[in-house]
Amino acid sequence: MEAWIVITIAAAFIQNIRSSLQKHLKGAMGTTGATFVRFGFGAPFALVFLLATLQFSGLPLPVPNTGFAVWVVVGALSQIAAQALLVQMFSLRNFAVGSAYSRTEPAQAAVFGLIFLGDRVSPGALVAICVSVAGVMLISVARGPVTARALVASVFTRTAAIGLASGTMFGIAAVAYRAASLSLAQTMAVPDYFVHAACVLVVAILLQTVLMLGWMLWRDRAELGRIRAAWRMSALTGLAGATASFLWFAAMTL
């Protein structure tokens, strides 16, 4: 089994843990706070990952180029939007449906990768993506009759719309982060995918932390108190989020 497959499975598993923790936090704070902890409390762990990969590889810190900077900004902003939409779904009655539709990210990422990076999808991968999308639609009507009308109607609901929008933003973020990571290979004599992933993660998560912290200081300072009160759960969420992202970025680069 190729390394990227093992890394992807591990990333997906840890991501589910992070989502469960955020769903719990949504009951103690607002959407902004539950979104922020994934970045703000994950930043220290991201720095540890970067230092560890540099120490283990013996490579110097890569020098970012313009392409890296542009793609990281696009990825960071898209991920904030995607995460906020996902957290917003936690308060909806049919959260599972919206969450399922957010899993259309691979299909959307494949389209964005084709448009922006010229990536190609093999016939086998295309079939797998179609199967996953069909599975998402079936999950959306799992509690009712599985008919063509029900499947079509399930797409035109508020929950599905939020889920699809979240998947779109996650798809854009995935492609942007992959492009940012690959751009670092052009600046290194000896490319190392884990160093690339850690660099992208650190820059993105620090930018996200600064942006969201600034927003809360400006518009919702009370949210900072709610975050402080739940700092233990927030720290676990940050650890899970940073670890999942590091593994995702490495897998996408590979």
Side-chain angles (χ1 to χ4, degrees), residues 18 25 72 84 107 125 128 134 143 145 162 166 177 181 207 216 243 254:
R18 185 216 69 213
L25 285 172
V72 165
R143 296 184 179 180
I162 295 175
S166 177
Y177 285 144
S181 188
L207 175 60
M216 287 187 291
T243 304
L254 285 168

Side-chain angles (χ1 to χ4, degrees), residues 80-169:
I80 288 176
Q83 195 67 54
L85 288 166
L86 183 63
V87 170
Q88 179 64 30
M89 285 190 295
F90 293 156
S91 59
L92 301 178
R93 289 180 57 189
N94 43 359
F95 157 72
V97 174
S99 181
Y101 273 107
S102 73
R103 303 310 180 210
T104 58
E105 171 197 340
Q108 300 193 59
V111 174
F112 295 133
L114 174 64
I115 295 173
F116 296 112
L117 303 181
D119 288 340
R120 293 291 183 267
V121 179
S122 67
L126 183 60
V127 170
I129 289 173
C130 291
V131 169
S132 71
V133 172
V136 164
M137 297 189 70
L138 288 174
I139 289 173
S140 69
V141 294
R143 296 184 179 180
V146 182
T147 63
R149 181 177 181 180
L151 288 172
V152 173
S154 70
V155 178
F156 298 97
T157 64
R158 180 170 177 265
T159 304
I162 295 175
L164 287 170
S166 177
T168 298
M169 291 295 102

